[in-house]
Amino acid sequence: MSESGFMVRAHGVHKSFGLLEVLKGIDLDVACGETVVLLGPSGSGKSTFLRCLNRLEPIDRGSIVVDGQQIGYRRRGGRLVELPERRIALQRRRIGMVFQQFNLYPHMTVLENVVEAPIGIHGEPRASAEAHARELLGRVGLADKAGEYPRRLSGGQQQRVAIARALAIRPRLLLFDEPTSALDPELVGEVLAVMKDLARQGMTMVVVTHEIGFAREAAHRVVFMDGGVVVEQGRPDAVLGAPREARTRAFLNRFL
Amino acid sequence: MSAASEEPADVTEAHRPFPWGTVLSWAVVAIVAAQAALAVATNRNFEWEVVGEWFFHPSILAGLEVTLGLTVVSMSLGIVLGVLLAVARLARSRLIGGLAGLYIWFFRGTPLLVQLIFWYNLATLFPHIDLGLPFGPTLARFRTNDIITPLTAAVAGLALNEGAYMAEVVRGGLLSVDAGQWETVRAFGMGRARALWRIILPQAMRAIVPPTGNQLISMIKSTSLVSVIAMADLLYSAQAVYNRTFQVIPLLLVAVLWYLLITSLLNVFQSMIERHYARGEVDRAARAAPAAPEA
Ligand SMILES: Nc1ncnc2c1ncn2[C@@H]1O[C@H](COP(=O)(O)OP(=O)(O)OP(=O)(O)O)[C@@H](O)[C@H]1O
Ligand SMILES: [Mg+2]
């Protein structure tokens, strides 16, 4: 477990796609129960960094420890050994992820979507998995949609199902990549409300978003990235209210 | 511009003009079809009474059974093989992907007729089949002629060939699934096998079923090639009869009618499968029916 009190410890993370260096040495620690919002202009590497946290992307240099485990590797006799995909899958089992495009399983009902991982991956009995799923659907305000297929739901409803699906694995860490960017403006609020609840209840979350309001209200810390480095970070009122760096100011001015 | 001054009327008050064009074209087609049907039905040269006489004749039904049996068994094996090959082709391992590619290249690139003859004559090339370790001791030895009968040669030839075509059908289906789905199952830590079986293949089925229907129908007719290795399928049975009686056209009609009958049944079956895999889709299913005759 993370006896250090940190859920995520990322140090000197470098990542290139071919010749393009996208992450140029990112350091980021996330405390247990903390909600961190990643802000930054398009192409600054926010999604890439998020995907490195559960090793959807391998990193080139540095180290990432999630919940006490170095993600993608293990130690054997003092040497670091790369894990095969099958073993990395085990490390990912308590890291939930919510995607911009929801990525629900379209051929399954809402309830089946939510219980798929608990039953199929975590070996939970169906009865308790379904009870838990119904409780989670109630929490995101969709108790009556359990039997519906995802494509018949609005975008906001789909994203809330996706959040319930991520919660169903009893995650230690939740990653959000622009969860409201594909939504019509009037549907953004319902998704953010669910996320604010989670933040209040002490879920550890890393959220990439352009919703400054959410960052101000729900985040414990705001991290501003640009050009593959962390430019500035701190409490929301400090970074958003009185940014020290010119790049941060320039970015935030666009939202005024 | 004059209409602009009028009050806009409620659309429920609108009346539809009578669809003269549609009615007329249906009528023309109906008349032509009736005429053609009558011409065929009353033409003495088709010898319909001979068709009726042979349609349910035991030798024809035996041939039908061979055709259907070979089709079902070879197609089932071919589908399983095709799924395995398609998954192998998309595997991360270059070796596995390459081997699957080589298989597909070879079996699609050579005539089925030659493959059938090859399997049938396997005994002349390899009189014995040994099971054992490579370059090591032999654990079991079989005489090829005991294993390769006309039936096993036919099934092997048809199934191995079909597997190569089905592999590409399945691969196309797998590629049609949104990449975000793979990303999601990886993020959840789902194993590859389970992800394929539970998440990816069910979605791929929508793209896999229609061309598989095609493959199946073409397989029914490919089975007629097995007559070269002494299997009496439907077409061969009909030919065997007219070689004696010289009633060529009516017996070919018997075979043709049976083929059409099976194909029609398959079309119905296919639309049922397609409806199943279209669940969760928003109203695109209705238009995605196979080319079945209008009910
Ligand atoms: N798989 C990939 N292959 C090649 N280049 C990539 C890949 N993924 C991302 N990139 C590049 O890396 C850079 C950073 O991308 P990333 O998606 O992390 O940015 P982002 O901060 O999330 O931007 P946005 O706000 O637009 O989502 C971009 O220039 C992008 O083109
Ligand atoms: Mg992004």
Side-chain angles (χ1 to χ4, degrees):
Chain A
M1 287 286 106
S2 39
E3 60 280 351
S4 59
F6 287 107
M7 183 56 65
V8 177
R9 310 207 72 157
H11 286 289
V13 173
H14 287 255
K15 171 75 188 174
S16 299
F17 292 110
L19 292 177
L20 179 70
E21 192 175 31
V22 177
L23 302 180
K24 301 172 181 165
I26 303 262
D27 295 314
L28 183 74
D29 290 346
V30 180
C32 292
E34 191 181 20
T35 295
V36 171
V37 164
L38 289 183
L39 287 180
S42 180
S44 57
K46 307 179 298 290
S47 299
T48 304
F49 180 66
L50 205 66
R51 291 159 51 78
C52 289
L53 291 181
N54 59 358
R55 211 180 159 84
L56 287 178
E57 298 287 354
I59 60 177
D60 301 333
R61 199 136 55 91
S63 69
I64 294 178
V65 175
V66 175
D67 205 10
Q69 289 188 48
Q70 182 156 2
I71 207 95
Y73 300 88
R74 74 188 167 107
R75 280 200 176 282
R76 193 166 58 193
R79 285 200 5 214
L80 202 60
V81 184
E82 194 172 334
L83 290 172
E85 184 73 15
R86 184 166 39 82
R87 297 288 300 278
I88 298 174
L90 293 180
Q91 294 184 324
R92 291 188 184 120
R93 287 170 29 153
R94 297 289 176 196
I95 306 175
M97 193 166 202
V98 175
F99 303 86
Q100 184 174 350
Q101 301 297 337
F102 330 134
N103 292 3
L104 294 174
Y105 310 132
H107 59 302
M108 293 180 171
T109 63
V110 164
L111 188 71
E112 288 168 336
N113 263 275
V114 180
V115 298
E116 174 61 27
I119 294 175
I121 305 174
H122 298 257
E124 216 180 301
R126 176 166 290 274
S128 76
E130 286 193 356
H132 187 211
R134 286 184 194 281
E135 181 207 316
L136 290 171
L137 287 173
R139 248 168 93 183
V140 299
L142 292 172
D144 54 332
K145 298 291 185 194
E148 198 56 271
Y149 282 100
R151 298 228 167 108
R152 308 219 173 106
L153 301 179
S154 76
Q157 291 172 329
Q158 288 189 53
Q159 193 60 299
R160 284 184 284 150
V161 172
I163 293 175
R165 179 176 68 170
L167 289 173
I169 61 169
R170 303 176 200 275
R172 308 265 304 153
L173 169 67
L174 269 185
L175 308 174
F176 292 83
D177 193 357
E178 303 203 26
T180 57
S181 296
L183 298 179
D184 292 336
E186 72 269 23
L187 301 179
V188 168
E190 62 190 60
V191 172
L192 292 182
V194 169
M195 292 168 61
K196 281 177 203 165
D197 266 351
L198 290 172
R200 223 172 291 131
Q201 288 156 16
M203 175 63 71
T204 313
M205 306 200 288
V206 180
V207 183
V208 174
T209 183
H210 294 296
E211 295 294 330
I212 303 294
F214 173 81
R216 190 172 285 123
E217 277 180 60
H220 300 103
R221 184 153 47 112
V222 171
V223 175
F224 177 72
M225 280 176 68
D226 193 8
V229 296
V230 172
V231 173
E232 181 170 0
Q233 60 174 308
R235 289 184 29 194
D237 48 357
V239 175
L240 301 173
R244 284 180 319 241
E245 300 289 329
R247 277 195 280 178
T248 318
R249 271 198 296 277
F251 176 75
L252 289 172
N253 276 336
R254 279 191 258 149
F255 293 92
L256 296 180
Chain B
M1 286 315 284
S2 63
S5 57
E6 286 170 26
E7 271 296 299
D10 193 282
V11 292
T12 51
E13 289 167 25
H15 75 101
R16 276 208 190 148
F18 189 78
W20 286 112
T22 313
V23 170
L24 200 67
S25 42
W26 277 87
V28 169
V29 170
I31 290 168
V32 171
Q35 177 108 57
L38 196 69
V40 171
T42 57
N43 187 331
R44 304 294 302 275
N45 297 328
F46 281 100
E47 300 182 76
W48 288 105
E49 64 289 347
V50 180
V51 172
E53 201 178 302
W54 284 98
F55 199 71
F56 293 110
H57 191 274
S59 72
I60 296 292
L61 292 184
L64 180 67
E65 204 180 317
V66 169
T67 291
L68 285 179
L70 272 181
T71 302
V72 169
V73 173
S74 311
M75 195 68 199
S76 309
L77 291 174
I79 288 173
V80 172
L81 188 60
V83 171
L84 294 177
L85 284 167
V87 171
R89 268 209 95 174
L90 297 173
R92 269 185 300 270
S93 154
R94 284 262 209 93
L95 178 67
I96 294 176
L99 286 175
L102 195 67
Y103 179 100
I104 294 166
W105 168 77
F106 183 80
F107 280 91
R108 288 200 309 171
T110 51
L112 176 57
L113 187 64
V114 177
Q115 290 173 28
L116 284 167
I117 294 171
F118 172 86
W119 291 114
Y120 188 53
N121 294 297
L122 196 63
T124 58
L125 302 167
F126 301 99
H128 297 281
I129 295 173
D130 293 338
L131 284 185
L133 306 175
F135 303 108
T138 303
L139 302 176
R141 165 165 268 222
F142 303 96
R143 284 187 49 223
T144 307
N145 267 332
D146 294 343
I147 298 174
I148 299 291
T149 62
L151 179 65
T152 54
V155 169
L158 291 171
L160 293 178
N161 184 262
E162 189 58 33
Y165 284 94
M166 280 306 299
E168 287 297 277
V169 168
V170 175
R171 189 172 68 97
L174 293 178
L175 291 177
S176 76
V177 177
D178 177 21
Q181 295 286 311
W182 271 118
E183 183 128 311
T184 308
V185 294
R186 282 181 69 212
F188 271 95
M190 195 181 291
R192 246 180 109 74
R194 187 183 169 87
L196 266 173
W197 188 247
R198 293 277 306 165
I199 308 297
I200 307 298
L201 262 180
Q203 295 180 57
M205 285 307 273
R206 300 208 56 207
I208 290 175
V209 172
T212 303
N214 242 357
Q215 288 298 114
L216 183 55
I217 287 169
S218 120
M219 165 73 94
I220 291 168
K221 288 173 286 177
S222 304
T223 52
S224 63
L225 289 176
V226 301
S227 60
V228 299
I229 58 173
M231 289 283 289
D233 72 301
L234 177 58
L235 185 58
Y236 181 83
S237 305
Q239 288 167 332
V241 174
Y242 71 61
N243 282 340
R244 281 185 283 116
T245 66
F246 303 106
Q247 293 159 320
V248 179
I249 296 296
L251 275 143
L252 285 178
L253 276 176
V254 168
V256 163
L257 288 176
W258 273 117
Y259 282 122
L260 280 176
L261 199 68
I262 301 166
T263 308
S264 319
L265 285 177
L266 287 175
N267 280 333
V268 174
F269 191 54
Q270 182 180 338
S271 5
M272 278 161 52
I273 296 181
E274 285 185 12
R275 224 165 299 138
H276 173 76
Y277 283 107
R279 72 189 189 281
E281 283 303 318
V282 188
D283 204 39
R284 261 169 57 205
R287 274 173 283 142
E294 291 276 335

